[in-house]
Amino acid sequence: DTAVSQTPKYLVTQMGNDKSIKCEQNLGHDTMYWYKQDSKKFLKIMFSYNNKELIINETVPNRFSPKSPDKAHLNLHINSLELGDSAVYFCASSGGTGGSPLHFGNGTRLTVT
Amino acid sequence: AQSVTQLDSQVPVFEEAPVELRCNYSSSVSVYLFWYVQYPNQGLQLLLKYLSGSTLVESINGFEAEFNKSQTSFHLRKPSVHISDTAEYFCAVVIQGAQKLVFGQGTRLTINP
């Protein structure tokens, strides 16, 4: 069974469109994250939610809006997509304490044309 | 704030040769340290972690890393690599008690036959 699953795996869209990426985890974890991996493989945290509450919000444009309907789901909605948004977006979850490792999904490759 | 530097962006080695991937961190407070591995087109997987206790930690597939507080390093080593070890390796750090995991830039390990 997939522990952290993201959909879709690939997303190709045009500039200006609005798109969403969904993430679900079945590990019973309280904390979920969104990371962005750029073309040079650099990973940067975007958001973190603990039990549906936002706890980390890095300097991400407000075109990006995370939503956590329950602690097993953390979706990412992106408005007015730009070329620079092209990247691989990873969802992850953890048991919540700093020493708990992150469990990652397989990523969503977003290409904005 | 904490930061991580991986000194080598690419490391090519021959099969069955030893390898060391270097990682240095910066933090004014105590941290937890991790190594993650990313195989092509996949998400990251935990390789090993240091939380406390013995400064030498091992993974199930032959990798080990040593926490060196005086040198603020957490280098990853393997005495004999296999083709299947070809991947991107990420060092990561989190401040104890916090939840923001910060990644290094990644090191691409390429194994040549």
Side-chain angles (χ1 to χ4, degrees), chain A residues 47-66:
Chain A
F47 302 102
S48 176
Y49 272 71
N50 183 266
N51 206 7
K52 302 192 297 177
E53 298 294 324
L54 181 67
I55 56 170
I56 296 174
N57 184 349
E58 292 294 287
T59 51
V60 178
N62 57 16
R63 299 183 294 104
F64 290 79
S65 53

Side-chain angles (χ1 to χ4, degrees), chain B residues 64-107:
Chain B
E64 63 179 30
E66 185 155 22
F67 170 57
N68 188 319
K69 189 174 181 179
S70 62
Q71 297 187 5
T72 60
S73 68
F74 191 54
H75 301 332
L76 182 70
R77 293 186 289 262
K78 187 169 185 179
S80 176
V81 295
H82 302 284
I83 291 284
S84 59
D85 293 324
T86 296
E88 194 90 20
Y89 291 80
F90 292 91
C91 184
V93 62
V94 62
I95 292 173
Q96 289 187 19
Q99 292 181 342
K100 180 181 169 183
L101 187 65
V102 174
F103 286 89
Q105 304 92 321
T107 297

